[in-house]
Amino acid sequence: MSEAQKGAVPMRPRPLPDEASEGYWQAANEGCLAIQRCQDCRRWNHAPSLNCPACGSGDLDFEKVSGEATLFSWTVVHHSPGPGFAGKLPLLVGIVELAEQPHLLQVANLTGCSEGDLHLGMPLHVEFERIAEDCALPQFRATGGQG
Amino acid sequence: MWALSNKVAVAGIGYSALTRRSETPLVQLAKNAIDTALADAGLTRRDLDGLATSPGMPRYGGAKGTVEGVDVVTPWFLGEQLGVQNRIAYTGSTNGMVTQAFIDAAMAVASGVCTHAVVYRALHVPPGSYVNFDSTFASGQDQYFAPFGFSVPPAWAATVLRRYFEMFGYSRGDMARYIVDNRANTQLNPNGYWRGKPIARDDYLDARMIADPMSILDCDIPVDGCAAILLTSAERARDLKQKPALLSGMAAGTHSPPSSVPMTLEDIWTGCEQVAERIWASSGMGPTDIDNAHLYDGFSPFVFLWLEGLGICKRGEGLAFLRDGHGALGGKLPINTGGGALGEGRLHGMTQIIEAASQVSDRCGERQVPGARRAIATISNGLTKSTGFVFSRGEP
Ligand SMILES: [Zn+2]
């Protein structure tokens, strides 16, 4: 257990990788957004799973994506989600749609923008927030385009 | 059409007290609700031979209580506690929502496995904050949500509502009338948690934000309490004390969003439409056959999304229907006439089923829709685990 986890300040929950998601979080920790892709039907698949939900194939691999995304929806969280978020509220949470495929969605905190700037289709780019020595979260930054 | 349409009936209804935090143990609240439902039908515990529920505590993040009689009440435990364990021929317990247990119980009655089944939902509010992700690690689907502070269920609904607002040009002001009218309906419901506390438009507009645009008034309130519904055959119901409400059709949904997000507007539409297709096929009815609707409102946006999914409104027009008052008592299609879960308290869809059954058996007192013939109840958000039911008047 790291010093940060032992300390008095509660940490935000960190992802516990599993058999399907290990590659995703490992890539994120190395500063790379890699999404699972079916090697048979070529569909991108997120969250990762052991079989492709589209064709059933078990031949899935992580491939680096562009990191480009647009804003699909968002919320501004005021009610504390838990002890790890003290001092972080209100929190901008976006559902972002990755450029690679329609409805390829993921949850992220939004940076480089304020609540009033947000609009559907707003262009975003991935960045990584290190929350522990061995864990980084993919987050999304507004790229300043006009959407 | 479902071969057993109108063969099963709701013949009794019972509530315990619904309070925020009860001094009474949950098992006693469950017994109170069940005794009330039995007495309502003119029956006693000795007549009971079926019990069904979904016993889980729906807490997010923190530890879930599992103590029998305190945090949860399983049908096996309850049978013992009622002293009729040896008479119970059918027990149902689902992992989904309780309304799936309602489907199971209806089939148990229809097939003759039991004669008088009670479907109940006993809910206990855990100590501390209902939503509090205090674990160090987030596993399973939580790994994609909780590290980002996205473990507050109203925030999930907020992303649906926000997208809807942005796509169709609505704002919270358009939701205000429905919320205020719904609270007014609650004033006519003796079981309503918020009875005695009407609200005005500004109360809604100024309400505390949980996850913008979802305020505290867009969320049902967790309560300690239990609601119980007695099911029996339509034939048997005619000999009991109350007018029966006939179960004309029922359906369950199986549509899921991508597993990286809890819900999206588009997936909710698809899911509600799937449940709708199945419920209309099951009941042999369509949107214009319904004269009152009880649409799940654990979170307020689901109400108008069900209107759209059921085909009562087009996509994007459901909120206008509510904004213009068409869902109010006396409106085109009265919705959640007892105040729904927003007004009554969180009972995971029991509220919608009970109100639908009550309307078609003239049991709604001051909030009765005159001559209500057919009522629909929909539960959850249209996605997997959602259910829908149509109830019809049993006698002219
Ligand atoms: Zn595939």
Side-chain angles (χ1 to χ4, degrees):
Chain A
M1 190 175 264
S2 74
E3 284 308 309
Q5 283 167 265
K6 272 188 263 173
V9 182
M11 274 182 59
R12 59 164 74 187
R14 55 176 289 182
L16 183 65
D18 52 42
E19 200 183 336
S21 68
E22 211 174 352
Y24 174 77
W25 291 116
Q26 195 184 324
N29 187 46
E30 291 160 7
C32 169
L33 185 63
I35 298 291
Q36 198 183 44
R37 191 171 196 185
C38 177
Q39 301 302 304
D40 283 324
C41 75
R42 301 300 291 158
R43 276 189 70 80
W44 299 95
N45 179 46
H46 192 61
S49 52
L50 296 178
N51 290 89
C52 171
C55 77
S57 168
D59 188 7
L60 297 152
D61 229 330
F62 289 91
E63 294 184 17
K64 186 174 195 288
V65 291
S66 63
E68 308 285 336
T70 50
L71 189 58
F72 184 83
S73 193
W74 70 90
T75 179
V76 186
V77 177
H78 292 264
H79 182 93
S80 174
F85 293 91
K88 292 189 167 69
L89 302 178
L91 189 64
L92 289 186
V93 181
I95 307 276
V96 310
E97 186 171 28
L98 301 183
E100 276 67 20
Q101 184 174 287
H103 224 58
L104 185 63
L105 303 174
Q106 68 178 58
V107 174
N109 298 123
L110 303 173
T111 58
C113 52
S114 57
E115 189 179 346
D117 303 331
L118 302 176
H119 56 269
L120 296 188
M122 182 166 137
L124 303 162
H125 197 275
V126 74
E127 62 180 20
F128 293 88
E129 180 182 4
R130 183 153 298 284
I131 61 163
E133 223 170 279
D134 56 350
C135 180
L137 301 177
Q139 303 285 26
F140 280 80
R141 174 170 290 273
T143 52
Q146 291 307 302
Chain B
M1 203 164 126
W2 182 32
L4 300 173
S5 187
N6 299 327
K7 301 282 192 212
V8 176
V10 169
I13 289 160
Y15 279 85
S16 73
L18 302 177
T19 59
R20 181 69 173 147
R21 292 184 197 277
S22 179
E23 297 291 311
T24 310
L26 191 62
V27 65
Q28 186 57 50
L29 295 173
K31 286 159 76 174
N32 293 350
I34 287 166
D35 284 337
T36 307
L38 289 166
D40 189 47
L43 299 172
T44 71
R45 289 182 188 184
R46 293 175 58 81
D47 299 303
L48 184 64
D49 59 0
L51 276 172
T53 193
S54 176
M57 177 191 274
R59 188 182 187 188
Y60 296 93
K64 293 186 191 198
T66 55
V67 179
E68 272 281 19
V70 177
D71 302 307
V72 297
V73 182
T74 68
W76 308 285
F77 178 74
L78 186 57
E80 273 171 34
Q81 293 289 309
L82 290 167
V84 294
Q85 174 76 339
N86 294 334
R87 295 174 175 274
I88 303 296
Y90 158 72
T91 49
S93 181
T94 70
N95 281 328
M97 290 183 79
V98 63
T99 53
Q100 288 174 305
F102 187 96
I103 291 179
D104 300 345
M107 292 192 289
V109 166
S111 65
V113 171
C114 64
T115 304
H116 302 123
V118 166
V119 181
Y120 65 96
R121 185 61 166 116
L123 277 154
H124 174 54
V125 185
S129 179
Y130 201 88
V131 170
N132 186 26
F133 204 102
D134 55 10
S135 322
T136 310
F137 286 94
S139 61
Q141 212 182 10
D142 286 339
Q143 69 187 291
Y144 306 105
F145 308 159
F148 306 94
F150 198 50
S151 51
V152 181
W156 307 343
T159 62
V160 174
L161 184 56
R162 173 54 64 195
R163 186 165 169 82
Y164 187 89
F165 279 177
E166 299 296 314
M167 283 174 73
F168 299 107
Y170 293 110
S171 67
R172 289 188 76 249
D174 297 309
M175 194 72 205
R177 173 157 186 190
Y178 175 76
I179 300 289
V180 170
D181 286 352
N182 183 69
R183 186 62 72 86
N185 292 352
T186 310
Q187 307 312 308
L188 309 177
N189 176 359
N191 298 304
Y193 178 86
W194 290 115
R195 185 169 157 106
K197 297 211 166 108
I199 53 172
R201 184 179 175 85
D202 283 347
D203 295 323
Y204 178 70
L205 296 177
D206 299 339
R208 177 165 69 87
M209 277 297 158
I210 302 298
D212 188 275
M214 290 284 293
S215 75
I216 189 83
L217 294 178
D218 294 292
C219 309
D220 63 353
I221 185 166
V223 291
D224 273 340
C226 182
I229 302 169
L230 179 87
L231 285 172
T232 191
S233 68
E235 198 183 341
R236 171 78 180 125
R238 293 201 170 86
D239 297 330
L240 299 180
K241 211 168 128 189
Q242 304 295 343
K243 284 189 203 172
L246 303 182
L247 178 59
S248 300
M250 55 189 192
T254 47
H255 178 76
S256 294
S259 56
S260 56
V261 291
M263 53 182 79
T264 69
L265 174 59
E266 284 77 357
D267 287 295
I268 287 180
W269 273 328
T270 303
C272 289
E273 286 163 5
Q274 181 196 57
V275 174
E277 192 183 329
R278 293 173 182 179
I279 190 74
W280 299 136
S282 172
S283 60
M285 295 180 204
T288 54
D289 295 315
I290 298 298
D291 48 37
N292 59 107
H294 308 279
L295 309 176
Y296 187 73
D297 60 345
F299 298 129
S300 64
F302 300 154
V303 176
F304 61 80
L305 294 177
W306 273 116
L307 279 176
E308 297 176 9
L310 289 169
I312 293 164
C313 299
K314 292 194 179 111
R315 286 186 180 188
E317 294 178 3
L319 184 49
F321 187 93
L322 297 183
R323 178 197 65 203
D324 298 340
H326 298 313
L329 277 171
K332 276 188 202 168
L333 180 73
I335 295 169
N336 292 335
T337 49
L342 289 174
E344 196 172 84
R346 178 177 300 167
L347 290 165
H348 276 186
M350 295 292 277
T351 297
Q352 272 74 26
I353 290 183
I354 289 173
E355 190 72 5
S358 299
Q359 282 290 355
V360 297
S361 49
D362 296 326
R363 303 196 61 193
C364 284
E366 295 175 90
R367 61 186 197 279
Q368 180 64 43
V369 174
R373 295 189 56 76
R374 297 190 186 104
I376 189 162
T378 59
I379 293 93
S380 194
N381 55 11
L383 301 172
T384 303
K385 298 175 186 172
S386 296
T387 46
F389 303 88
V390 172
F391 293 94
S392 298
R393 179 172 286 270
E395 28 188 88

